[in-house]
Amino acid sequence: MKKKLTFLGIETSCDETAASIVIYDNKKPHVISNIISSQIKEHKRFGGVVPELAARSHMQNIDFIINEALRKGGVHLKNIDGIAATAGPGLTVCLNVGLNIGKSLAAFLEKPFIAVNHLEGHALSPGLEKKIKFPYLLLLISGGHSQYIIVKGVGRYKQIGTTIDDALGEAFDKTAKILDLGYPGGPNLEIKAKKGDENFFILPRPILNRGGCNLSFAGLKTAVLREAQKIKKDKRLKLNLAASFQKTVIDILKKKTSVAIEQFRDLTKKNSADLIVAGGVAANEKIKEALSELCRNKKINPIFPSKEFCGDNAAMIAWAGIQNFKFRKGNQLNVTAKSRWPLDSKAPFMKGPGLKI
Ligand code: KG4
Ligand code: ZN
């Protein structure tokens, strides 16, 4: 196999249009360019992502973003060794934009095309910055997913916990919307929470002491809604509620992460390992501080990707593409967009009424 691999990564699964050039020199990856165009302005007035608008915006921007990634990276299209694009999970209309342009370019250039699982992009993202040893425990917290996964290797995932209702990023976004804290919800809530009293409201911590390391946030969000209706427009109380919400989330994550660490140790028989926290919510400083402290107590090494690699980006897609290409897969021009694509295909589906855990 060729020693050096230059990959173009493309990401359009939700509301970020992104392209990146990553070069793997047979030792480590180098992110040569990482271009992200966020659609915050388009979706702000709706308070959430509108799929058709997002897809239209991806279509308008994708060729410019790819050209920017190539230009900034100083790489000509003919020198690309392969193209990786997100094929799922995500909004199908959005995924199709990146997937189709990625496939067309690959077919035209007669280069391999790799269809990447977005969650695998997040799962392997810390490898962009440092060498990571398998197996490790992954806490993936994003807008659509909240999972504990044992990562045994590229393509080898065992899910040990997941949310049974809302994802954590979704809970942040909905809480911010209820409290009118601005869009995008998660980052704005974190900023506003700094000014509030986190001990003012006592909020529920659903399934804290049962259900292993499965998570639940819907009841917490409903409690925020109830309290918000009582306090109406009182600004101080709103900040207190935002801070109390964030503190409750941290309490839940601390407890569930320590359960997940025990399960990881039981299943892998490994005591010393890394806990990798990835996905958009991993950018939250308070969560980072709390989980880092927990890891110190539990004698496990915490790893948080830099902010530019926490949220959606195409460098993580290029890197997952390179690893899949190297270790396992050939051309994947026949893969279609998938709205649901779990990392662990054997994991039980944990959502729906009547679920007992
Ligand atoms: O990974 P990501 O960019 O997209 C998905 O794959 O979903 O994650 C986006 C989520 C959003 O829900 C956003 O509000 C949340 O990550 N997020 C945060 C913060 N930054 C982004 N949540 C809490 N605190 C933050 N600082
Ligand atoms: Zn994501």
Side-chain angles (χ1 to χ4, degrees):
M1 184 173 296
K2 200 175 155 187
K3 280 223 161 90
K4 196 173 109 182
L5 283 175
T6 303
F7 258 62
L8 165 66
I10 302 171
E11 158 62 38
T12 61
S13 67
C14 190
D15 58 343
E16 256 98 28
T17 315
S20 165
I21 305 291
V22 175
I23 297 181
Y24 178 68
D25 64 6
N26 218 18
K27 286 201 184 79
K28 59 181 189 163
H30 303 268
V31 180
I32 304 300
S33 62
N34 189 25
I35 311 294
I36 305 171
S37 161
S38 165
Q39 302 174 1
I40 290 172
K41 274 197 206 124
E42 277 98 324
H43 303 291
K44 195 172 185 146
R45 65 195 163 109
F46 301 101
V49 177
V50 183
E52 265 66 31
L53 280 185
R56 194 167 67 191
S57 178
H58 286 312
M59 276 189 278
Q60 281 164 346
N61 293 321
I62 190 71
D63 62 329
F64 173 75
I65 297 296
I66 290 175
N67 274 324
E68 272 300 283
L70 291 164
R71 192 185 64 76
K72 280 230 167 110
V75 173
H76 195 277
L77 207 46
K78 69 176 191 304
N79 296 324
I80 295 286
D81 297 309
I83 296 179
T86 306
L91 301 165
T92 314
V93 278
C94 295
L95 290 163
N96 275 331
V97 179
L99 203 51
N100 286 339
I101 197 156
K103 284 182 185 178
S104 310
L105 281 173
F108 172 73
L109 296 167
E110 295 181 1
K111 297 288 176 184
F113 175 77
I114 308 294
V116 171
N117 183 322
H118 180 86
L119 304 177
E120 182 164 56
H122 280 302
L124 303 176
S125 63
L128 284 167
E129 299 176 278
K130 62 194 289 191
K131 199 160 176 61
I132 312 283
K133 270 206 218 114
F134 298 114
Y136 56 81
L137 175 62
L138 169 73
L139 167 58
L140 172 56
I141 35 179
S142 68
H145 296 84
S146 304
Q147 302 174 335
Y148 288 101
I149 288 182
I150 298 176
V151 181
K152 299 181 212 165
V154 178
R156 297 174 57 218
Y157 305 100
K158 180 167 178 54
Q159 182 182 301
I160 56 171
T162 186
T163 177
I164 60 166
D165 39 56
D166 291 355
L168 184 52
E170 192 183 353
F172 264 95
D173 293 338
K174 286 180 179 165
T175 298
K177 197 170 177 183
I178 292 168
L179 297 174
D180 209 7
L181 299 178
Y183 181 85
N188 273 307
L189 192 146
E190 182 181 12
I191 294 166
K192 302 277 163 52
K194 287 190 180 133
K195 297 184 200 140
D197 174 0
E198 62 179 19
N199 297 311
F200 194 91
F201 290 93
I202 308 292
L203 297 168
R205 294 170 292 175
I207 65 165
L208 191 69
N209 295 311
R210 62 191 172 92
C213 59
N214 288 300
L215 298 152
S216 167
F217 298 108
L220 170 59
K221 175 196 66 193
T222 310
V224 169
L225 179 62
R226 257 198 316 270
E227 295 296 345
Q229 282 161 349
K230 284 188 226 155
I231 62 180
K232 302 242 165 50
K233 290 197 166 8
D234 187 316
K235 279 200 182 132
R236 174 116 309 270
L237 290 180
K238 269 192 185 182
L239 298 178
N240 290 349
L241 191 46
S244 303
F245 163 82
Q246 189 172 258
K247 175 176 185 282
T248 308
V249 163
I250 289 171
D251 287 347
I252 296 169
L253 288 180
K254 273 165 54 182
K255 176 71 201 286
K256 293 293 181 174
T257 304
S258 73
V259 174
I261 292 170
E262 295 312 322
Q263 286 193 18
F264 174 86
R265 285 182 167 148
D266 268 6
L267 289 165
T268 62
K269 309 284 175 239
K270 282 204 179 300
N271 245 337
S272 63
D274 297 329
L275 167 74
I276 287 180
V277 188
V281 186
N284 185 294
E285 290 296 334
K286 277 267 183 190
I287 292 179
K288 189 172 173 177
E289 265 168 38
L291 292 184
S292 300
E293 193 196 325
L294 174 85
C295 286
R296 273 194 297 278
N297 295 337
K298 290 263 169 199
K299 310 232 172 329
I300 194 163
N301 182 42
I303 296 178
F304 288 77
S306 306
K307 278 203 176 158
E308 67 170 315
F309 302 126
C310 279
D312 288 349
N313 66 87
M316 70 180 192
I317 302 303
W319 178 225
I322 289 171
Q323 292 179 88
N324 274 290
F325 177 67
K326 256 184 350 127
F327 296 126
R328 294 184 302 134
K329 294 179 193 158
N331 218 332
Q332 299 179 318
L333 284 170
N334 56 350
V335 175
T336 51
K338 308 174 210 219
S339 57
R340 191 173 171 271
W341 186 3
L343 274 182
D344 176 358
S345 56
K346 296 203 182 94
F349 189 59
M350 296 289 281
K351 283 188 182 175
L355 187 69
K356 287 198 174 59
I357 61 168

